[in-house]
Amino acid sequence: DPKEGTAEELLEEIRKEKEILVKEGKLKKKDLEVKPIEDDEIPFEIPEGWRWCRLGEIGSWGSGATPAKGKPEYYTNGNIPWLRTGELNNDYVYDSEIKVTQAALDECSLRMCRKGDVLIAMYGATIGKVAIAGIELTTNQACCACTPLFIYNKYLMWYLMASKQAFIDLGEGGAQPNISREKIVAFPFALPPLAEQKRIVAKVEEVMREIEGMKK
């Protein structure tokens, strides 16, 4: 629907918001850099009004860290959920087995994820597993989180789920293959206008409910 705007217009809104965040010191200037999508990177055709971009263009991405296990002040009586990739569930996540303290958050380069952030696993057998943060939480270094800007987080989650095999194929290493944040932010992303993102998610979830019903 032309009245809903185009993905190009949506990307321009995102760029303007990122420029504001850079001025506020919440993003770095390098987060504004854009590498054009090459023809050989495009995996499929997209409808008119959509736009190919990179995942790094549509939000703020960052990974977590693991506070030193030998420091009890980072864990004892902690109340901040600290998520590990095995807890990603391809859905909303509301809790974690391990909690950390404010001292850990202040001293250990942890990223505090916002409610609604989209998470993806980068290491080992869990590569490509995803979730949406249902609460504020932090993660270990094997998890990369995105705060999307003007992007429906459920659309991003389903897109990442659909791309899981591609992320696995990007994994490097022997016994513990992994993908880096750099590979994630460079990954091609098929961007529709926002209203269309929501229609796609509604349809996908309708079909998934039908599939679950067939299993019963």
Side-chain angles (χ1 to χ4, degrees), residues 15-88:
R15 290 190 195 104
K16 290 177 181 177
E17 182 65 19
K18 281 187 149 186
E19 288 171 357
I20 292 171
L21 293 174
V22 168
K23 289 178 182 178
E24 293 176 349
K26 297 176 181 177
L27 286 180
K28 298 178 181 178
K29 280 189 176 181
K30 68 176 183 178
D31 292 314
L32 296 176
E33 297 174 2
V34 176
K35 182 182 176 184
I37 299 286
E38 303 294 336
D39 289 344
D40 61 359
E41 294 180 276
I42 296 175
F44 51 83
E45 293 184 10
I46 53 176
E48 184 178 350
W50 290 36
R51 171 78 144 70
W52 280 107
C53 64
R54 298 189 187 276
L55 284 173
E57 295 180 60
I58 57 94
S60 168
W61 293 83
S63 56
T66 297
K69 296 294 179 66
K71 293 196 172 185
E73 63 268 28
Y74 290 162
Y75 296 94
T76 303
N77 297 321
N79 61 358
I80 300 170
W82 180 70
L83 201 72
R84 295 169 294 173
T85 54
E87 296 173 292
L88 300 179

Side-chain angles (χ1 to χ4, degrees), residues 188-205:
F189 181 65
L191 176 64
L194 182 57
E196 193 157 1
Q197 294 174 36
K198 294 181 178 180
R199 287 196 295 272
I200 290 168
V201 169
K203 187 63 178 178
V204 169
E205 292 184 343

